[in-house]
């Protein structure tokens, strides 16, 4: 490809030098004026036409897909993808339009130049000195033509190479390997073409950046930045897709962390991601599909945690997306480290409760929650795994107050007797020890880890001042309130529904 580029540029140079020599100074100056005018006009016209094309594409997407229930959330304005695609289209076509318009305008202007030359001084013959003086002008005209050709062509190659390099995450996926081979064998050598690469690096790149600049959601965007970020996201996503979730390790955790950072670094991706997360979460929490996709089924326990994340993501925006994704990446890494992810679909609630409470997963997550208060529903969902164990072991009574009144009274009694920590909070460890005895006395089969989670759930629901002021009856009602807030879908007495 580099030979083709060099040959074409050499042709432009030689032909313009020849024309300058044969036509002399006067006509060469006119040709120079037409070349400059063609470049300037092509630049502004291409940007204006590209913006119009982008708007038309956004409108077409809204009209075409806005009424389709599967695609409406993306293109009816709910997630704003129509305008984003329109802006990307604008940035993509502008350099191509510039190249086409340059040659069209130059041809039109040259036609006018020939007509003017014939009308103004048809019999004039330039002297030999005039022809030699015109040679530098011919070289300048050739330079303008080469510049107009090199800028969009090398710009497209540069963007393609950078994007492909980011998509290639090192996994042996056939399609990615083919792209990488194409990039290494054709695109990269073309970008290193002698002289042409220097011309593009000094001047052409600035022109290409100007052509591929767009405005969306109040921010200026550049095609290369947005596409390379898309390449990074695609590369990390295909790395995650190449490995079963139960086999995830440090590499996959790093990919999730990189995904969160890539999306946060791109204005377009962050706004789009916030819109998609917000829209998908609201649809899934309402029991509706999103783009024809139902929420993933992670099992009864996994769905409990998933719904907690959905509850937070349903309020995601550009302003808080970075915090949300950062927390998700950190919790994902903890879930991999403590084998929670590999066992999240396990039907044994006591086993999952043990992993959450005793592996260090909950403790480390609670540290994260101190700096991510928006994610409190996720912490509550983890504790609710233990609360579900207790409810299941108690038989999931429809009227907890009547069916389990005695055990609830005993739980409340030991709760009121539980010591308070220095910071004024209830000592959940001491409460867990007391609750273990209560459950054993009433022959409630529940694991130690689940009891620890129940203790935390109860301790977080009361304050020490409340325990002093509430009567046993009022404290029992508040305890019933806490158990009543737990999602028991997928459970039956002493186990799961089929």
């Amino acid at each position: 490809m580099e030979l083709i580029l060099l040959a074409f540029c050499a042709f432009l140079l030689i032909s313009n030098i020849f024309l300058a020599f044969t036509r002399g100074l006067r006509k060469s100056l006119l040709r120079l004026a037409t070349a400059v005018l063609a470049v300037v006009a092509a630049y502004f016209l291409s940007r204006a036409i590209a913006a119009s094309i982008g708007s038309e594409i956004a409108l077409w997407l809204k009209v075409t897909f806005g009424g389709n229930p599967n695609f409406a959330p993306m293109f009816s304005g709910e997630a704003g993808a129509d305008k984003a695609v329109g802006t990307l289209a604008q940035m993509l076509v502008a350099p191509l339009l510039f190249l086409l318009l340059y040659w069209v305008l130059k041809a039109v202007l040259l036609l006018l130049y020939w007509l003017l030359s014939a009308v103004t001084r048809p019999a004039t013959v330039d002297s030999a000195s005039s022809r030699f003086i015109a040679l530098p002008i011919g070289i300048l005209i050739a330079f303008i033509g080469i510049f107009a050709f090199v800028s969009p062509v090398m710009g497209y190659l540069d963007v393609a190479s950078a994007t492909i390099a980011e998509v290639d995450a090192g996994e042996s996926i056939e399609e990615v390997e083919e792209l990488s081979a194409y990039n290494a064998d054709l695109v990269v050598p073309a970008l290193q073409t002698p002289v042409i690469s220097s011309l593009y690096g000094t001047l052409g790149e600035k022109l290409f950046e100007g052509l591929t600049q767009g405005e969306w959601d109040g921010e200026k965007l550049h095609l290369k930045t947005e596409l390379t970020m898309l390449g990074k996201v695609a590369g990390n996503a295909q790395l995650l897709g190449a490995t079963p979730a139960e086999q995830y390790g440090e590499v996959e955790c790093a990919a999730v962390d990189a995904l969160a950072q890539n999306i946060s670094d791109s204005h377009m991706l962050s706004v789009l991601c916030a819109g998609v997360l917000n829209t998908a979460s609201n649809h899934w929490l309402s029991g509706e599909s999103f783009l024809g996709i139902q929420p993933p089924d992670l099992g009864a326990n996994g769905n409990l945690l998933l719904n907690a994340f959905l509850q937070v993501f349903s309020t995601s925006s550009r302003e808080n997306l970075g915090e949300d994704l950062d927390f998700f990446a950190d919790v994902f890494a903890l879930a991999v480290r403590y084998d929670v992810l590999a066992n999240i679909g396990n039907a044994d609630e006591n086993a999952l409760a043990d992993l959450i409470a005793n592996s260090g997963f909950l403790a480390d997550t609670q540290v994260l929650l101190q700096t991510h208060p928006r994610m409190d529903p996720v912490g509550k969902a983890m504790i609710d795994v233990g609360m579900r164990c207790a409810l299941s072991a108690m038989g999931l009574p429809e009227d907890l107050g009547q069916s389990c009144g005695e055990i609830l009274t005993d739980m409340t009694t030991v709760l009121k007797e539980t010591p308070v920590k220095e910071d004024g909070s209830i000592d959940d460890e001491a409460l867990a020890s007391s609750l273990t005895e209560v459950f054993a006395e009433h022959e409630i089969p529940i694991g130690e880890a689940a009891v620890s989670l129940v203790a935390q759930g109860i301790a977080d629901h009361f304050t020490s001042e409340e325990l002093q002021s509430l009567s046993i009856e009022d404290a029992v009602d508040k305890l019933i309130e806490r158990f009543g807030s737990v999602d028991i879908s997928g459970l039956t007495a002493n186990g799961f529904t089929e």
Side-chain angles (χ1 to χ4, degrees), residues 265-437:
D265 288 344
S266 165
H267 180 78
M268 177 173 281
L269 286 179
S270 59
V271 173
L272 275 179
C273 184
V276 170
L277 278 177
N278 185 301
T279 307
S281 297
N282 280 299
H283 278 245
W284 286 345
L285 287 171
S286 301
E288 304 170 354
S289 64
F290 176 71
L291 301 182
I293 302 172
Q294 295 293 335
D297 185 2
L298 304 179
N301 290 311
N303 290 338
L304 186 71
L305 297 175
L306 173 64
N307 287 339
F309 273 107
L310 292 179
Q311 183 181 339
V312 177
F313 290 151
S314 67
T315 61
S316 288
S317 65
R318 171 72 177 92
E319 290 69 29
N320 57 38
L321 180 70
E323 176 187 351
D324 292 353
L325 294 180
D326 179 58
F327 179 86
F328 177 81
D330 289 341
V331 171
F332 182 88
L334 293 176
V336 171
R337 181 190 308 167
Y338 294 119
D339 292 327
V340 173
L341 184 65
N343 293 277
I344 202 166
N346 193 335
D348 186 347
E349 285 212 329
N350 280 291
L352 183 63
D354 184 63
L355 270 177
I356 290 176
N358 294 333
S359 66
F361 177 68
L362 179 62
D364 287 352
T365 302
Q366 287 175 330
V367 172
L368 292 174
L369 287 170
Q370 294 175 7
T371 55
H372 297 81
R374 269 176 50 78
M375 290 293 175
D376 282 344
V378 178
K380 178 181 179 297
M382 293 178 186
I383 291 174
D384 278 2
V385 171
M387 305 291 285
R388 283 161 60 91
C389 289
L391 286 169
S392 177
M394 287 189 288
L396 296 179
E398 293 184 4
D399 189 334
L400 191 63
Q402 290 184 0
S403 303
C404 301
E406 186 178 347
I407 184 176
L408 290 174
T409 300
D410 290 347
M411 291 173 67
T412 304
T413 301
V414 298
L415 172 62
K416 289 178 70 67
E417 295 173 353
T418 302
V420 177
K421 297 180 182 178
E422 292 182 359
D423 61 2
S425 62
I426 298 169
D427 189 337
D428 54 276
E429 291 185 5
L431 177 59
S433 178
S434 300
L435 289 177
T436 300
E437 296 179 4

Side-chain angles (χ1 to χ4, degrees), residues 66-311:
N68 187 313
N70 288 334
F71 297 102
M74 288 294 288
F75 299 110
S76 64
E78 195 173 350
D82 53 340
K83 293 181 180 179
V85 174
T87 303
L88 275 177
Q90 169 194 335
M91 296 189 292
L92 275 169
V93 302
L96 177 61
L97 287 173
F98 168 79
L99 185 58
L100 293 174
L101 285 170
Y102 170 76
W103 292 111
V104 170
L105 289 171
K106 188 173 182 182
V108 172
L109 291 170
L110 281 175
L111 178 61
L112 292 175
Y113 146 73
W114 284 329
L115 292 174
L116 287 172
S117 296
V119 171
T120 54
R121 302 178 65 183
T124 301
V125 178
D126 289 300
S127 63
S129 60
S130 172
R131 294 179 181 182
F132 278 106
I133 294 173
L135 289 179
I137 297 175
I139 294 174
L140 181 57
I141 296 170
F143 171 81
I144 293 173
I146 293 171
F147 171 72
F149 170 74
V150 163
S151 298
V153 172
M154 293 290 280
Y156 279 129
L157 292 174
D158 184 30
V159 170
S161 179
T163 304
I164 292 171
E166 296 297 348
V167 173
D168 182 11
E171 292 294 317
S172 56
I173 296 177
E174 184 177 351
E175 292 79 3
V176 176
E177 288 183 343
E178 290 177 359
L179 276 175
S180 299
Y182 175 82
N183 187 35
D185 297 339
L186 295 176
V187 181
V188 172
L191 286 171
Q192 297 173 348
T193 303
V195 181
I196 294 178
S197 60
S198 299
L199 175 61
Y200 174 71
T202 53
L203 294 174
E205 189 172 9
K206 293 182 176 62
L207 175 64
F208 187 80
E209 287 181 356
L211 289 168
T212 56
Q213 179 177 287
E215 187 169 337
W216 182 73
D217 194 52
E219 293 284 337
K220 287 185 177 180
L221 308 176
H222 292 89
L223 181 67
K224 184 176 180 180
T225 301
E226 298 305 322
L227 287 187
T228 50
M229 282 298 176
L230 276 174
K232 290 180 179 180
V233 169
N236 286 308
Q238 62 92 8
L239 189 150
L240 290 171
T243 307
E246 60 271 14
Q247 297 178 16
Y248 278 1
E250 292 184 6
V251 173
E252 287 73 24
C253 291
V256 171
D257 189 61
L259 272 172
Q261 189 61 51
N262 298 154
I263 293 172
S264 298
D265 288 344
S266 165
H267 180 78
M268 177 173 281
L269 286 179
S270 59
V271 173
L272 275 179
C273 184
V276 170
L277 278 177
N278 185 301
T279 307
S281 297
N282 280 299
H283 278 245
W284 286 345
L285 287 171
S286 301
E288 304 170 354
S289 64
F290 176 71
L291 301 182
I293 302 172
Q294 295 293 335
D297 185 2
L298 304 179
N301 290 311
N303 290 338
L304 186 71
L305 297 175
L306 173 64
N307 287 339
F309 273 107
L310 292 179
Q311 183 181 339

